[in-house]
Protein backbone atom coordinates (compact mmCIF):
# COMPACT_ATOMS: atom_id res chain seq x y z
CA UNK A 1 0.00 0.00 0.00
CA UNK A 2 1.32 3.39 -0.98
CA UNK A 3 0.26 6.50 0.89
CA UNK A 4 0.19 9.78 -1.04
CA UNK A 5 -0.69 13.29 0.09
CA UNK A 6 -3.53 14.56 -2.04
CA UNK A 7 -4.00 17.79 -0.15
CA UNK A 8 -3.18 19.32 3.20
CA UNK A 9 -6.37 17.96 4.72
CA UNK A 10 -6.59 14.52 3.14
CA UNK A 11 -4.80 11.31 2.30
CA UNK A 12 -5.00 9.30 -0.90
CA UNK A 13 -4.60 5.57 -0.41
CA UNK A 14 -3.67 3.43 -3.40
CA UNK A 15 -4.59 -0.23 -3.08
CA UNK A 16 -4.03 -3.13 -5.44
CA UNK A 17 -7.38 -4.46 -6.70
CA UNK A 18 -8.82 -6.05 -9.81
CA UNK A 19 -11.75 -3.65 -9.73
CA UNK A 20 -10.97 -0.01 -10.44
CA UNK A 21 -13.04 2.00 -7.99
CA UNK A 22 -12.85 5.16 -5.87
CA UNK A 23 -14.19 6.16 -2.46
CA UNK A 24 -14.06 9.84 -1.49
CA UNK A 25 -15.12 11.04 1.96
CA UNK A 26 -14.96 14.81 2.48
CA UNK A 27 -16.46 17.71 4.39
CA UNK A 28 -19.28 19.31 2.42
CA UNK A 29 -21.27 22.13 4.00
CA UNK A 30 -22.45 24.58 1.33
CA UNK A 31 -24.35 26.56 3.97
CA UNK A 32 -21.09 27.18 5.87
CA UNK A 33 -18.47 27.52 3.10
CA UNK A 34 -18.44 29.34 -0.27
CA UNK A 35 -19.53 27.06 -3.11
CA UNK A 36 -16.53 28.00 -5.22
CA UNK A 37 -14.19 27.01 -2.40
CA UNK A 38 -15.84 23.60 -2.15
CA UNK A 39 -15.67 23.09 -5.91
CA UNK A 40 -12.01 24.03 -5.99
CA UNK A 41 -11.12 21.56 -3.24
CA UNK A 42 -13.08 18.74 -4.89
CA UNK A 43 -11.34 19.49 -8.21
CA UNK A 44 -7.95 19.00 -6.50
CA UNK A 45 -9.10 15.68 -5.12
CA UNK A 46 -10.41 14.66 -8.53
CA UNK A 47 -7.10 15.53 -10.23
CA UNK A 48 -5.12 13.51 -7.69
CA UNK A 49 -7.43 10.53 -8.10
CA UNK A 50 -7.18 10.69 -11.89
CA UNK A 51 -3.37 10.51 -11.88
CA UNK A 52 -3.29 7.64 -9.41
CA UNK A 53 -6.05 5.63 -11.09
CA UNK A 54 -4.39 5.88 -14.52
CA UNK A 55 -1.08 4.83 -13.00
CA UNK A 56 -2.57 1.86 -11.15
CA UNK A 57 -5.05 0.51 -13.71
CA UNK A 58 -4.22 1.97 -17.12
CA UNK A 59 -6.43 3.96 -19.47
CA UNK A 60 -8.85 1.17 -20.44
CA UNK A 61 -9.96 0.38 -16.87
CA UNK A 62 -9.60 3.88 -15.48
CA UNK A 63 -11.53 5.95 -18.02
CA UNK A 64 -15.07 4.59 -17.34
CA UNK A 65 -14.51 5.21 -13.61
CA UNK A 66 -13.18 8.73 -14.16
CA UNK A 67 -16.09 9.60 -16.42
CA UNK A 68 -18.53 8.49 -13.72
CA UNK A 69 -16.58 10.47 -11.11
CA UNK A 70 -16.63 13.62 -13.22
CA UNK A 71 -20.38 13.29 -13.73
CA UNK A 72 -21.05 12.80 -10.01
CA UNK A 73 -18.91 15.73 -8.90
CA UNK A 74 -20.46 18.04 -11.49
CA UNK A 75 -23.94 17.23 -10.20
CA UNK A 76 -23.40 17.47 -6.44
CA UNK A 77 -26.22 19.05 -4.43
CA UNK A 78 -25.01 22.44 -3.22
CA UNK A 79 -28.36 23.11 -1.53
CA UNK A 80 -27.90 20.37 1.07
CA UNK A 81 -27.86 21.29 4.75
CA UNK A 82 -25.86 18.23 5.74
CA UNK A 83 -22.20 18.18 6.73
CA UNK A 84 -20.25 15.84 4.44
CA UNK A 85 -20.26 13.91 1.19
CA UNK A 86 -19.40 10.28 0.41
CA UNK A 87 -18.73 9.35 -3.21
CA UNK A 88 -18.43 5.73 -4.35
CA UNK A 89 -17.49 5.16 -8.00
CA UNK A 90 -16.58 2.24 -10.23
CA UNK A 91 -17.37 1.42 -13.85
CA UNK A 92 -20.71 -0.07 -12.69
CA UNK A 93 -21.39 2.05 -9.59
CA UNK A 94 -22.16 5.75 -9.16
CA UNK A 95 -23.32 6.66 -5.66
CA UNK A 96 -23.38 9.85 -3.61
CA UNK A 97 -24.46 10.12 0.02
CA UNK A 98 -24.63 13.22 2.21
CA UNK A 99 -24.05 12.11 5.83
CA UNK A 100 -25.16 14.59 8.45
CA UNK A 101 -21.99 14.34 10.54
CA UNK A 102 -18.47 15.73 10.31
CA UNK A 103 -15.75 13.52 8.82
CA UNK A 104 -12.02 13.17 8.51
CA UNK A 105 -11.28 13.45 4.81
CA UNK A 106 -10.22 10.24 3.09
CA UNK A 107 -9.75 9.09 -0.50
CA UNK A 108 -9.26 5.40 -1.27
CA UNK A 109 -8.56 3.72 -4.61
CA UNK A 110 -9.51 0.05 -4.47
CA UNK A 111 -12.53 -2.06 -3.60
CA UNK A 112 -11.64 -2.85 0.01
CA UNK A 113 -13.29 0.30 1.38
CA UNK A 114 -16.85 -0.36 2.47
CA UNK A 115 -19.65 1.78 3.76
CA UNK A 116 -18.83 0.72 7.33
CA UNK A 117 -15.41 2.29 6.80
CA UNK A 118 -17.24 5.55 6.14
CA UNK A 119 -18.44 5.39 9.75
CA UNK A 120 -14.82 5.11 10.85
CA UNK A 121 -14.14 8.45 9.16
CA UNK A 122 -16.62 10.36 11.27
CA UNK A 123 -15.25 12.80 13.80
CA UNK A 124 -16.13 12.08 17.39
CA UNK A 125 -19.05 14.19 18.52
CA UNK A 126 -18.18 15.22 22.07
CA UNK A 127 -21.00 17.72 22.44
CA UNK A 128 -23.00 17.61 25.64
CA UNK A 129 -25.44 19.66 27.69
CA UNK A 130 -24.80 20.98 31.20
CA UNK A 131 -27.49 22.10 33.61
CA UNK A 132 -26.15 24.06 36.59
CA UNK A 133 -28.70 24.23 39.42
CA UNK A 134 -28.71 26.91 42.09
CA UNK A 135 -31.16 27.62 44.88
CA UNK A 136 -32.28 30.84 43.18
CA UNK A 137 -30.66 30.72 39.74
CA UNK A 138 -29.92 28.07 37.10
CA UNK A 139 -28.06 28.00 33.77
CA UNK A 140 -27.90 25.67 30.79
CA UNK A 141 -24.79 25.27 28.64
CA UNK A 142 -23.83 23.53 25.42
CA UNK A 143 -20.38 21.96 25.76
CA UNK A 144 -18.25 21.47 22.66
CA UNK A 145 -14.52 21.17 22.06
CA UNK A 146 -13.50 22.24 25.56
CA UNK A 147 -15.80 25.27 25.65
CA UNK A 148 -19.15 26.03 27.25
CA UNK A 149 -21.71 28.18 25.47
CA UNK A 150 -24.61 29.44 27.56
CA UNK A 151 -28.00 28.77 26.03
CA UNK A 152 -30.54 31.53 26.45
CA UNK A 153 -34.04 30.59 27.56
CA UNK A 154 -37.20 32.40 26.57
CA UNK A 155 -38.49 31.94 30.11
CA UNK A 156 -37.20 33.01 33.51
CA UNK A 157 -33.97 31.53 34.84
CA UNK A 158 -34.35 32.96 38.36
CA UNK A 159 -36.66 31.85 41.15
CA UNK A 160 -37.52 35.50 41.76
CA UNK A 161 -39.90 35.33 38.79
CA UNK A 162 -42.12 32.94 40.74
CA UNK A 163 -42.43 34.79 44.06
CA UNK A 164 -45.77 36.32 43.07
CA UNK A 165 -46.95 33.20 41.27
CA UNK A 166 -47.62 30.78 44.11
CA UNK A 167 -51.00 29.51 45.33
CA UNK A 168 -52.86 31.96 47.56
CA UNK A 169 -52.96 29.48 50.44
CA UNK A 170 -49.16 29.40 50.56
CA UNK A 171 -49.15 33.05 51.51
CA UNK A 172 -51.06 32.11 54.65
CA UNK A 173 -48.54 29.51 55.80
CA UNK A 174 -46.90 30.49 59.05
CA UNK A 175 -43.77 28.47 58.28
CA UNK A 176 -41.63 30.32 55.70
CA UNK A 177 -39.88 27.05 54.83
CA UNK A 178 -43.14 25.65 53.38
CA UNK A 179 -43.46 28.63 51.05
CA UNK A 180 -39.80 28.26 50.10
CA UNK A 181 -40.33 24.56 49.34
CA UNK A 182 -43.27 25.32 47.04
CA UNK A 183 -41.33 28.04 45.26
CA UNK A 184 -38.32 25.76 44.85
CA UNK A 185 -40.41 22.94 43.41
CA UNK A 186 -42.19 25.27 41.01
CA UNK A 187 -38.88 26.71 39.85
CA UNK A 188 -37.36 23.24 39.30
CA UNK A 189 -40.40 22.16 37.28
CA UNK A 190 -39.92 25.25 35.13
CA UNK A 191 -36.24 24.41 34.57
CA UNK A 192 -37.17 20.83 33.74
CA UNK A 193 -39.73 21.99 31.17
CA UNK A 194 -37.09 24.23 29.59
CA UNK A 195 -34.68 21.29 29.46
CA UNK A 196 -37.30 19.18 27.65
CA UNK A 197 -37.48 21.81 24.90
CA UNK A 198 -33.70 22.03 24.61
CA UNK A 199 -33.34 18.24 24.52
CA UNK A 200 -35.67 18.13 21.53
CA UNK A 201 -33.27 20.41 19.65
CA UNK A 202 -30.04 18.93 21.08
CA UNK A 203 -30.31 15.18 21.61
CA UNK A 204 -27.13 15.01 23.67
CA UNK A 205 -25.90 13.58 26.98
CA UNK A 206 -26.86 15.81 29.91
CA UNK A 207 -24.78 16.56 32.98
CA UNK A 208 -26.52 18.08 36.02
CA UNK A 209 -24.49 20.06 38.56
CA UNK A 210 -26.06 21.02 41.87
CA UNK A 211 -25.93 20.76 45.65
CA UNK A 212 -26.75 17.36 47.15
CA UNK A 213 -30.19 18.36 48.43
CA UNK A 214 -31.15 20.46 45.39
CA UNK A 215 -29.81 17.91 42.93
CA UNK A 216 -31.67 15.11 44.69
CA UNK A 217 -34.90 17.14 44.61
CA UNK A 218 -34.48 17.78 40.88
CA UNK A 219 -33.85 14.09 40.15
CA UNK A 220 -37.14 13.23 41.90
CA UNK A 221 -39.27 15.63 39.84
CA UNK A 222 -37.54 15.64 36.44
CA UNK A 223 -39.20 14.14 33.37
CA UNK A 224 -35.83 14.08 31.61
CA UNK A 225 -34.06 11.62 33.89
CA UNK A 226 -33.17 9.27 31.05
CA UNK A 227 -31.07 11.97 29.37
CA UNK A 228 -28.94 12.52 32.48
CA UNK A 229 -25.64 10.66 32.31
CA UNK A 230 -24.22 12.06 35.55
CA UNK A 231 -25.28 14.12 38.58
CA UNK A 232 -22.33 16.09 39.94
CA UNK A 233 -22.74 17.39 43.49
CA UNK A 234 -21.59 20.88 44.40
CA UNK A 235 -22.77 24.49 44.57
CA UNK A 236 -21.54 26.07 41.34
CA UNK A 237 -24.45 28.30 40.30
CA UNK A 238 -22.21 31.40 40.32
CA UNK A 239 -19.04 29.67 39.09
CA UNK A 240 -17.35 30.97 35.92
CA UNK A 241 -17.30 28.73 32.86
CA UNK A 242 -13.65 27.67 33.21
CA UNK A 243 -14.39 26.30 36.69
CA UNK A 244 -17.35 24.34 35.35
CA UNK A 245 -15.22 23.00 32.51
CA UNK A 246 -12.59 21.83 34.98
CA UNK A 247 -15.27 20.12 37.03
CA UNK A 248 -16.53 18.25 33.96
CA UNK A 249 -13.12 17.26 32.60
CA UNK A 250 -12.70 13.95 34.49
CA UNK A 251 -16.07 12.80 33.16
CA UNK A 252 -15.35 13.91 29.58
CA UNK A 253 -12.04 12.03 29.55
CA UNK A 254 -14.05 8.81 29.64
CA UNK A 255 -16.26 9.97 26.80
CA UNK A 256 -16.71 6.53 25.24
CA UNK A 257 -18.37 5.24 28.41
CA UNK A 258 -20.52 8.37 28.62
CA UNK A 259 -21.60 7.94 25.00
CA UNK A 260 -22.44 4.26 25.43
CA UNK A 261 -24.46 5.08 28.55
CA UNK A 262 -26.36 7.72 26.59
CA UNK A 263 -27.06 5.30 23.72
CA UNK A 264 -28.40 2.78 26.23
CA UNK A 265 -30.80 5.42 27.51
CA UNK A 266 -31.78 6.30 23.92
CA UNK A 267 -32.76 2.67 23.35
CA UNK A 268 -34.87 2.64 26.50
CA UNK A 269 -36.62 5.91 25.61
CA UNK A 270 -37.42 4.72 22.09
CA UNK A 271 -38.67 1.38 23.35
CA UNK A 272 -40.95 3.06 25.89
CA UNK A 273 -42.27 5.32 23.11
CA UNK A 274 -42.73 2.32 20.78
CA UNK A 275 -40.36 3.87 18.28
CA UNK A 276 -37.75 1.12 18.37
CA UNK A 277 -37.22 -1.81 16.02
CA UNK A 278 -34.60 -4.48 16.61
CA UNK A 279 -33.34 -7.58 14.88
CA UNK A 280 -32.32 -7.65 11.23
CA UNK A 281 -35.72 -8.42 9.75
CA UNK A 282 -37.65 -5.84 11.79
CA UNK A 283 -35.03 -3.13 11.19
CA UNK A 284 -34.97 -3.90 7.44
CA UNK A 285 -38.74 -3.44 7.32
CA UNK A 286 -38.66 -0.23 9.40
CA UNK A 287 -35.99 1.40 7.23
CA UNK A 288 -38.29 1.27 4.20
CA UNK A 289 -40.58 3.79 5.92
CA UNK A 290 -37.87 6.50 5.70
CA UNK A 291 -38.34 7.48 9.35
CA UNK A 292 -34.92 6.45 10.63
CA UNK A 293 -33.27 8.71 13.19
CA UNK A 294 -30.52 6.45 14.51
CA UNK A 295 -29.31 3.01 13.46
CA UNK A 296 -27.24 1.18 16.08
CA UNK A 297 -25.29 -1.96 15.24
CA UNK A 298 -22.35 -3.94 16.45
CA UNK A 299 -19.19 -3.04 14.57
CA UNK A 300 -17.88 -6.52 13.83
CA UNK A 301 -21.13 -8.43 13.56
CA UNK A 302 -21.64 -10.06 10.12
CA UNK A 303 -25.05 -10.38 8.52
CA UNK A 304 -26.20 -12.83 5.87
CA UNK A 305 -25.96 -11.95 2.19
CA UNK A 306 -28.16 -14.91 1.27
CA UNK A 307 -31.40 -13.70 2.81
CA UNK A 308 -34.44 -12.71 0.75
CA UNK A 309 -34.15 -9.15 2.12
CA UNK A 310 -30.61 -8.79 0.81
CA UNK A 311 -31.48 -10.22 -2.61
CA UNK A 312 -34.53 -7.97 -2.87
CA UNK A 313 -32.56 -4.86 -1.90
CA UNK A 314 -29.85 -5.46 -4.50
CA UNK A 315 -32.08 -6.66 -7.32
CA UNK A 316 -31.98 -4.35 -10.32
CA UNK A 317 -29.32 -2.07 -8.84
CA UNK A 318 -26.57 -3.41 -11.08
CA UNK A 319 -25.28 -6.69 -12.48
CA UNK A 320 -23.62 -7.24 -9.14
CA UNK A 321 -23.80 -5.55 -5.77
CA UNK A 322 -21.86 -2.26 -5.34
CA UNK A 323 -18.26 -2.72 -4.24
CA UNK A 324 -18.85 -0.81 -0.99
CA UNK A 325 -21.67 -3.16 0.11
CA UNK A 326 -20.60 -6.30 1.94
CA UNK A 327 -23.74 -7.56 3.63
CA UNK A 328 -27.33 -6.71 4.42
CA UNK A 329 -26.41 -4.36 7.27
CA UNK A 330 -24.38 -2.28 4.81
CA UNK A 331 -27.54 -1.76 2.75
CA UNK A 332 -29.36 -0.57 5.87
CA UNK A 333 -26.53 1.85 6.69
CA UNK A 334 -26.72 3.27 3.17
CA UNK A 335 -30.49 3.73 3.30
CA UNK A 336 -30.49 5.36 6.74
CA UNK A 337 -27.82 7.86 5.63
CA UNK A 338 -29.70 8.46 2.38
CA UNK A 339 -32.86 9.38 4.30
CA UNK A 340 -30.99 11.78 6.62
CA UNK A 341 -30.60 9.52 9.64
CA UNK A 342 -27.49 8.72 11.65
CA UNK A 343 -25.56 5.50 12.27
CA UNK A 344 -23.42 4.51 15.24
CA UNK A 345 -21.55 1.40 16.29
CA UNK A 346 -22.33 0.24 19.81
CA UNK A 347 -20.60 -2.06 22.26
CA UNK A 348 -21.59 -5.71 21.99
CA UNK A 349 -23.09 -5.73 25.48
CA UNK A 350 -25.36 -2.81 24.63
CA UNK A 351 -27.14 -4.63 21.79
CA UNK A 352 -27.17 -8.19 23.10
CA UNK A 353 -30.83 -7.86 24.08
CA UNK A 354 -31.66 -6.33 20.70
CA UNK A 355 -30.29 -9.09 18.45
CA UNK A 356 -27.20 -7.04 17.55
CA UNK A 357 -28.98 -4.26 15.60
CA UNK A 358 -31.64 -1.65 16.47
CA UNK A 359 -33.31 1.31 14.79
CA UNK A 360 -34.69 4.38 16.55
CA UNK A 361 -37.34 6.29 14.64
CA UNK A 362 -38.10 10.01 14.87
CA UNK A 363 -40.57 10.93 17.61
Amino acid sequence: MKLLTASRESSLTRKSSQLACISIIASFEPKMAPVQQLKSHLKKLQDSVEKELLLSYGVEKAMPVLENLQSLISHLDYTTHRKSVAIFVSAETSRVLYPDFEVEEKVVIGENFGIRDLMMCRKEDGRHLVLVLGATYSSIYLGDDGKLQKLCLNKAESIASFVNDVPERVGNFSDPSEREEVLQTKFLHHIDNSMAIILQAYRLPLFVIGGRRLGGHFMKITRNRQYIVSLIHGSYAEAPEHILQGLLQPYLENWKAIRQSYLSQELERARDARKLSWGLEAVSYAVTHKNSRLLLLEKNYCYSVDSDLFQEATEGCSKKKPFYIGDEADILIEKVLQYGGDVEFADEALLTSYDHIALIQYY
Side-chain angles (χ1 to χ4, degrees):
M1 179 167 44
K2 182 180 179 182
L3 185 67
L4 302 176
T5 301
S7 71
R8 185 176 181 181
E9 296 85 6
S10 67
S11 63
L12 178 67
T13 306
R14 171 182 166 191
K15 297 183 178 181
S16 177
S17 169
Q18 291 184 348
L19 178 65
C21 51
I22 305 163
S23 303
I24 298 176
I25 315 301
S27 297
F28 190 77
E29 290 189 84
K31 64 177 182 178
M32 300 297 291
V35 170
Q36 194 55 47
Q37 179 180 322
L38 292 174
K39 289 184 175 181
S40 177
H41 182 63
L42 288 168
K43 183 63 168 63
K44 290 180 181 178
L45 293 180
Q46 183 179 344
D47 290 345
S48 297
V49 165
E50 180 177 345
K51 293 177 183 178
E52 193 65 19
L53 201 69
L54 289 168
L55 179 63
S56 299
Y57 295 93
V59 174
E60 185 177 352
K61 283 189 174 182
M63 286 311 298
V65 184
L66 293 174
E67 288 172 0
N68 284 345
L69 177 62
Q70 182 179 4
S71 177
L72 283 182
I73 289 182
S74 65
H75 290 91
L76 290 178
D77 181 8
Y78 287 91
T79 66
T80 181
H81 283 204
R82 298 181 191 173
K83 297 179 179 179
S84 59
V85 64
I87 301 172
F88 300 100
V89 187
S90 69
E92 299 87 13
T93 301
S94 298
R95 191 71 170 109
V96 176
L97 297 171
Y98 299 93
D100 197 18
F101 50 77
E102 295 182 354
V103 297
E104 297 286 350
E105 192 168 274
K106 191 177 186 67
V107 182
V108 177
I109 294 178
E111 61 184 310
N112 51 345
F113 185 91
I115 198 163
R116 293 197 200 194
D117 296 303
L118 163 61
M119 308 314 301
M120 297 294 98
C121 294
R122 72 180 297 163
K123 293 181 180 179
E124 184 178 80
D125 185 1
R127 294 182 303 159
H128 52 278
L129 292 168
V130 184
L131 170 61
V132 184
L133 295 172
T136 60
Y137 182 82
S138 294
S139 303
I140 300 172
Y141 297 89
L142 173 64
D144 187 16
D145 196 24
K147 298 178 182 178
L148 289 176
Q149 175 189 350
K150 188 174 181 181
L151 300 178
C152 296
L153 303 178
N154 293 328
K155 297 181 180 180
E157 298 176 353
S158 170
I159 198 171
S161 302
F162 299 91
V163 171
N164 297 321
D165 190 28
V166 294
E168 182 65 27
R169 62 180 181 84
V170 177
N172 298 324
F173 285 165
S174 58
D175 187 351
S177 65
E178 294 184 59
R179 176 182 176 84
E180 181 182 342
E181 185 73 16
V182 172
L183 282 171
Q184 192 74 76
T185 300
K186 189 174 183 65
F187 179 53
L188 291 177
H189 274 298
H190 158 73
I191 292 298
D192 193 47
N193 291 336
S194 297
M195 279 307 315
I197 296 171
I198 289 175
L199 286 165
Q200 285 297 313
Y202 299 94
R203 291 181 176 268
L204 299 171
L206 171 62
F207 293 90
V208 176
I209 302 174
R212 191 170 298 275
R213 180 177 174 277
L214 189 63
H217 191 177
F218 180 78
M219 293 298 287
K220 288 180 180 179
I221 65 98
T222 180
R223 297 179 302 161
N224 301 301
R225 190 185 185 98
Q226 288 182 305
Y227 288 94
I228 300 171
V229 293
S230 187
L231 170 61
I232 304 172
H233 292 299
S235 299
Y236 292 92
E238 304 297 330
E241 293 173 9
H242 73 275
I243 296 295
L244 297 175
Q245 191 61 46
L247 185 67
L248 290 165
Q249 192 57 37
Y251 299 87
L252 299 179
E253 287 175 355
N254 194 18
W255 181 252
K256 182 179 179 181
I258 290 291
R259 187 65 186 168
Q260 292 298 307
S261 173
Y262 176 73
L263 291 177
S264 176
Q265 293 169 345
E266 282 275 77
L267 288 168
E268 291 179 17
R269 284 192 296 272
R271 190 167 186 169
D272 290 344
R274 297 186 178 181
K275 294 295 183 179
L276 179 70
S277 301
W278 64 90
L280 188 59
E281 186 171 353
V283 170
S284 298
Y285 177 77
V287 165
T288 63
H289 289 77
K290 303 181 182 182
N291 185 31
S292 307
R293 184 173 73 81
L294 178 62
L295 175 67
L296 293 169
L297 67 161
E298 293 175 6
K299 177 182 176 183
N300 296 317
Y301 191 82
C302 295
Y303 300 84
S304 172
V305 297
D306 298 321
S307 70
D308 293 338
L309 288 169
F310 184 84
Q311 299 301 327
E312 182 179 328
T314 56
E315 184 180 2
C317 294
S318 62
K319 295 181 179 179
K320 59 180 181 178
K321 65 181 176 65
F323 68 90
Y324 58 89
I325 296 294
D327 63 5
E328 189 172 330
D330 288 355
I331 293 176
L332 297 178
I333 292 173
E334 179 183 22
K335 289 187 178 299
V336 168
L337 294 177
Q338 177 186 353
Y339 300 148
D342 200 357
V343 179
E344 285 204 41
F345 294 120
D347 289 343
E348 181 178 346
L350 189 64
L351 291 175
T352 300
S353 301
Y354 298 96
D355 200 16
H356 314 292
I357 185 168
L359 178 77
I360 298 174
Q361 299 175 2
Y362 285 100
Y363 64 98

CSV table of all heavy atoms in Angstrom, one decimal, residues 132 137 139 141 148 209 235-245 247:
chain,number,residue,atom,x,y,z
A,132,VAL,N,-26.7,23.7,35.3
A,132,VAL,CA,-26.2,24.1,36.6
A,132,VAL,C,-27.3,24.6,37.5
A,132,VAL,O,-27.9,25.6,37.1
A,132,VAL,CB,-25.1,25.1,36.4
A,132,VAL,CG1,-24.4,25.5,37.8
A,132,VAL,CG2,-24.0,24.7,35.5
A,137,TYR,N,-31.0,30.4,41.1
A,137,TYR,CA,-30.7,30.7,39.7
A,137,TYR,C,-30.1,29.5,39.1
A,137,TYR,O,-29.3,28.7,39.7
A,137,TYR,CB,-29.6,31.8,39.7
A,137,TYR,CG,-29.2,32.3,38.4
A,137,TYR,CD1,-29.9,33.2,37.6
A,137,TYR,CD2,-28.0,31.8,37.8
A,137,TYR,CE1,-29.5,33.6,36.4
A,137,TYR,CE2,-27.6,32.2,36.5
A,137,TYR,CZ,-28.4,33.1,35.8
A,137,TYR,OH,-28.0,33.5,34.6
A,139,SER,N,-28.6,27.7,35.1
A,139,SER,CA,-28.1,28.0,33.8
A,139,SER,C,-27.9,26.7,33.0
A,139,SER,O,-27.7,25.6,33.6
A,139,SER,CB,-26.7,28.7,33.8
A,139,SER,OG,-26.7,29.9,34.6
A,141,TYR,N,-25.9,25.1,29.6
A,141,TYR,CA,-24.8,25.3,28.6
A,141,TYR,C,-24.7,24.1,27.6
A,141,TYR,O,-25.1,23.0,27.9
A,141,TYR,CB,-23.5,25.3,29.4
A,141,TYR,CG,-23.3,26.4,30.4
A,141,TYR,CD1,-23.7,26.3,31.7
A,141,TYR,CD2,-22.7,27.6,30.0
A,141,TYR,CE1,-23.6,27.3,32.6
A,141,TYR,CE2,-22.6,28.7,30.9
A,141,TYR,CZ,-23.0,28.5,32.2
A,141,TYR,OH,-22.8,29.5,33.2
A,148,LEU,N,-17.7,26.0,26.8
A,148,LEU,CA,-19.1,26.0,27.2
A,148,LEU,C,-19.8,27.3,26.7
A,148,LEU,O,-19.4,28.4,26.9
A,148,LEU,CB,-19.3,26.0,28.8
A,148,LEU,CG,-18.9,24.7,29.5
A,148,LEU,CD1,-19.0,24.9,31.0
A,148,LEU,CD2,-19.8,23.5,29.0
A,209,ILE,N,-25.4,19.6,37.5
A,209,ILE,CA,-24.5,20.1,38.6
A,209,ILE,C,-25.3,20.8,39.6
A,209,ILE,O,-26.0,21.7,39.3
A,209,ILE,CB,-23.4,21.0,38.1
A,209,ILE,CG1,-22.5,20.3,37.0
A,209,ILE,CG2,-22.5,21.4,39.2
A,209,ILE,CD1,-21.5,21.2,36.3
A,235,SER,N,-22.1,23.2,44.8
A,235,SER,CA,-22.8,24.5,44.6
A,235,SER,C,-21.9,25.3,43.6
A,235,SER,O,-21.0,26.0,44.0
A,235,SER,CB,-23.0,25.2,45.9
A,235,SER,OG,-23.8,24.4,46.8
A,236,TYR,N,-22.3,25.4,42.4
A,236,TYR,CA,-21.5,26.1,41.3
A,236,TYR,C,-22.4,27.0,40.5
A,236,TYR,O,-22.0,27.4,39.4
A,236,TYR,CB,-20.9,25.1,40.4
A,236,TYR,CG,-19.8,24.2,41.1
A,236,TYR,CD1,-20.1,23.0,41.7
A,236,TYR,CD2,-18.5,24.7,41.1
A,236,TYR,CE1,-19.1,22.2,42.3
A,236,TYR,CE2,-17.5,23.9,41.7
A,236,TYR,CZ,-17.8,22.7,42.3
A,236,TYR,OH,-16.8,22.0,42.9
A,237,ALA,N,-23.5,27.5,41.1
A,237,ALA,CA,-24.4,28.3,40.3
A,237,ALA,C,-23.8,29.6,39.9
A,237,ALA,O,-24.1,30.1,38.8
A,237,ALA,CB,-25.7,28.6,41.1
A,238,GLU,N,-22.9,30.1,40.7
A,238,GLU,CA,-22.2,31.4,40.3
A,238,GLU,C,-20.8,31.2,39.8
A,238,GLU,O,-20.1,32.2,39.6
A,238,GLU,CB,-22.1,32.3,41.6
A,238,GLU,CG,-23.5,32.5,42.2
A,238,GLU,CD,-24.4,33.3,41.3
A,238,GLU,OE1,-23.9,34.1,40.5
A,238,GLU,OE2,-25.7,33.1,41.5
A,239,ALA,N,-20.4,30.0,39.5
A,239,ALA,CA,-19.0,29.7,39.1
A,239,ALA,C,-18.8,30.1,37.6
A,239,ALA,O,-19.7,29.9,36.8
A,239,ALA,CB,-18.7,28.2,39.3
A,240,PRO,N,-17.7,30.6,37.3
A,240,PRO,CA,-17.3,31.0,35.9
A,240,PRO,C,-17.2,29.7,35.1
A,240,PRO,O,-17.0,28.6,35.6
A,240,PRO,CB,-16.0,31.7,36.0
A,240,PRO,CG,-15.4,31.3,37.3
A,240,PRO,CD,-16.6,31.0,38.2
A,241,GLU,N,-17.3,29.9,33.8
A,241,GLU,CA,-17.3,28.7,32.9
A,241,GLU,C,-16.0,27.9,32.9
A,241,GLU,O,-16.1,26.6,32.8
A,241,GLU,CB,-17.5,29.2,31.4
A,241,GLU,CG,-18.9,29.8,31.3
A,241,GLU,CD,-19.1,30.5,29.9
A,241,GLU,OE1,-18.2,30.3,29.0
A,241,GLU,OE2,-20.2,31.1,29.7
A,242,HIS,N,-14.9,28.5,33.2
A,242,HIS,CA,-13.7,27.7,33.2
A,242,HIS,C,-13.6,26.7,34.4
A,242,HIS,O,-13.1,25.7,34.4
A,242,HIS,CB,-12.4,28.6,33.2
A,242,HIS,CG,-12.1,29.3,34.4
A,242,HIS,ND1,-12.7,30.5,34.7
A,242,HIS,CD2,-11.3,29.0,35.5
A,242,HIS,CE1,-12.3,30.9,35.9
A,242,HIS,NE2,-11.5,30.1,36.4
A,243,ILE,N,-14.3,27.2,35.5
A,243,ILE,CA,-14.4,26.3,36.7
A,243,ILE,C,-15.3,25.1,36.4
A,243,ILE,O,-15.0,24.0,36.8
A,243,ILE,CB,-14.9,27.1,37.9
A,243,ILE,CG1,-13.9,28.2,38.3
A,243,ILE,CG2,-15.2,26.2,39.1
A,243,ILE,CD1,-12.6,27.7,38.8
A,244,LEU,N,-16.4,25.4,35.7
A,244,LEU,CA,-17.4,24.3,35.4
A,244,LEU,C,-16.7,23.3,34.4
A,244,LEU,O,-16.9,22.1,34.5
A,244,LEU,CB,-18.6,24.9,34.7
A,244,LEU,CG,-19.5,25.9,35.5
A,244,LEU,CD1,-20.6,26.4,34.7
A,244,LEU,CD2,-20.1,25.1,36.7
A,245,GLN,N,-15.9,23.9,33.5
A,245,GLN,CA,-15.2,23.0,32.5
A,245,GLN,C,-14.2,22.1,33.2
A,245,GLN,O,-14.1,20.9,32.9
A,245,GLN,CB,-14.5,23.8,31.4
A,245,GLN,CG,-14.0,23.0,30.3
A,245,GLN,CD,-15.1,22.3,29.5
A,245,GLN,OE1,-16.1,22.9,29.2
A,245,GLN,NE2,-14.9,21.0,29.2
A,247,LEU,N,-14.5,21.1,36.3
A,247,LEU,CA,-15.3,20.1,37.0
A,247,LEU,C,-15.7,19.0,36.1
A,247,LEU,O,-15.8,17.8,36.6
A,247,LEU,CB,-16.5,20.8,37.6
A,247,LEU,CG,-17.4,20.0,38.6
A,247,LEU,CD1,-16.7,19.7,39.8
A,247,LEU,CD2,-18.7,20.9,38.9
